[in-house]
């Protein structure tokens, strides 16, 4: 698992620059291929950028795994403020009956008072009351910055065809996610990608948080990797 930038560290200006920053971290653990790269949600867009960078340096990448990853042009972040981005995430973690309270909160809070929004969401009980306000504000600003990078990323064709697996959540009812096909819209941008779609029970969040769904994902992921060795 690759780390976020430390709090206070300058943000990278592009997804390509973030991939460049990740490369020495990867090669410190594994200097040479074959590499197997994977990412969840918009983190899979970074995984693609890393894969493209590695292959551009003639490194051998034999597998790219998308865990419910929409293509950049399918993301819903464009022109969305940080408070709306935070609220969308907070709504996904609370009951439908409570979500209107968050909508009321953001009406009188602008982006410069983002820490105040977190504090009030904690007061409503719709957000972790034990979270450190300073650290959480910094965390969400980093998440928001990454979302903007993902939204602006223009994926280029990979130099060589490799197997790409899209492990997609079967329950597509979450309104905070884009309406996409089972390969995440990637074929729209890059028609020649060799994508295998694999269904995983649950929604975008519960496919990872639910123990049973996560176990199913791990088993399916392992089967895909074993298939590499048998080919």
């Amino acid at each position: 698992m690759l780390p976020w930038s430390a709090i206070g560290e300058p943000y990278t200006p592009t997804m390509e620059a973030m991939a460049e920053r990740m490369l020495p971290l990867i090669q410190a653990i594994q200097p040479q291929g074959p590499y197997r790269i994977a990412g969840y949600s918009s983190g899979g867009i970074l995984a693609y950028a890393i894969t493209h960078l590695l292959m551009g340096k003639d490194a051998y990448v034999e597998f790219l795994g998308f865990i419910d990853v929409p293509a950049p042009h399918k993301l819903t972040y464009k022109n969305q403020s940080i408070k709306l981005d935070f609220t969308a995430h907070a709504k996904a973690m609370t009951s439908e009956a409570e979500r209107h309270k968050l909508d009321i909160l953001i009406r009188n809070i602008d982006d410069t008072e983002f820490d105040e929004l977190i504090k009030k969401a904690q007061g409503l009980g719709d957000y972790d009351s034990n979270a450190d306000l300073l650290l959480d504000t910094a965390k969400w600003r980093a998440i928001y910055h990454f979302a903007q990078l993902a939204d602006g990323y223009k994926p280029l064709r990979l130099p060589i065809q490799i197997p790409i697996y899209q492990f997609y959540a079967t329950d597509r009812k979450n309104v905070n996610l884009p309406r996409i096909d089972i390969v995440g819209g990637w074929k729209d941008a890059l028609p020649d990608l060799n994508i295998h779609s694999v269904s995983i029970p649950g929604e975008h969040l519960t496919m990872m948080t639910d123990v049973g769904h996560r176990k199913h994902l791990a088993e399916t992921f392992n089967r895909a990797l074993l298939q590499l060795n048998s080919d």
Side-chain angles (χ1 to χ4, degrees):
M1 183 176 291
L2 296 170
W4 284 96
S5 301
I7 293 175
E9 185 176 330
Y11 293 143
T12 50
T14 64
M15 188 62 73
E16 291 87 349
M18 183 170 278
E20 285 279 5
R21 192 182 76 82
M22 297 298 179
L23 205 57
L25 301 178
I26 294 171
Q27 293 180 323
I29 302 298
Q30 186 177 336
Q32 296 181 330
Y35 293 103
R36 296 172 175 182
I37 311 292
Y40 167 62
S41 191
S42 56
I45 296 173
L46 175 58
Y48 186 91
I50 291 170
T51 298
H52 189 273
L53 180 61
L54 282 167
M55 296 180 78
K57 296 178 182 292
D58 295 324
Y60 176 35
V61 181
E62 67 174 1
F63 176 87
L64 174 58
F66 288 155
I67 304 175
D68 215 40
V69 177
H73 70 282
K74 290 292 187 178
L75 294 175
T76 57
Y77 305 136
K78 190 177 292 294
N79 299 322
Q80 181 164 285
S81 68
I82 189 171
K83 69 177 183 179
L84 290 175
D85 195 36
F86 169 80
T87 303
H89 281 83
K91 281 182 177 180
M93 302 301 290
T94 191
S95 65
E96 188 170 350
E98 296 293 314
R99 290 173 188 170
H100 72 283
K101 295 179 181 178
L102 288 164
D103 290 327
I104 294 171
L105 268 185
I106 66 173
R107 290 174 189 167
N108 299 315
I109 297 176
D110 61 33
D111 283 0
T112 61
E113 301 171 308
F114 181 63
D115 57 342
E116 188 67 20
L117 176 60
I118 294 178
K119 186 190 299 183
K120 289 188 175 182
Q122 288 176 318
L124 287 176
D126 291 330
Y127 194 69
D128 183 4
S129 59
N130 296 316
D132 181 279
L133 188 59
L134 181 63
L135 292 177
D136 244 43
T137 300
K139 179 192 78 173
W140 278 103
R141 290 198 183 281
I143 290 172
Y144 179 72
H145 176 73
F146 178 80
Q148 302 310 302
L149 296 189
D151 184 77
Y153 179 60
K154 305 297 183 187
L156 300 174
R157 179 179 177 180
L158 295 175
I160 301 171
Q161 281 268 11
I162 63 168
I164 301 173
Y165 281 77
Q166 172 76 286
F167 301 90
Y168 69 96
T170 53
D171 189 344
R172 314 304 297 175
K173 292 183 294 186
N174 191 327
V175 296
N176 295 320
L177 293 175
R179 294 187 178 276
I180 53 177
D181 56 30
I182 59 176
V183 294
W186 285 90
K187 287 281 192 176
D188 297 343
L190 299 166
D192 62 336
L193 286 184
N194 180 25
I195 303 181
H196 308 272
S197 57
V198 184
S199 64
I200 304 296
E203 296 181 345
H204 183 70
L205 290 175
T206 61
M207 70 184 294
M208 297 290 280
T209 59
D210 180 275
V211 174
H213 298 343
R214 192 166 62 238
K215 184 172 183 284
H216 183 92
L217 172 62
E219 291 170 348
T220 308
F221 211 99
N222 283 338
R223 284 198 293 271
L225 293 176
L226 288 172
Q227 182 66 34
L228 295 177
N229 298 327
S230 64
D231 290 344

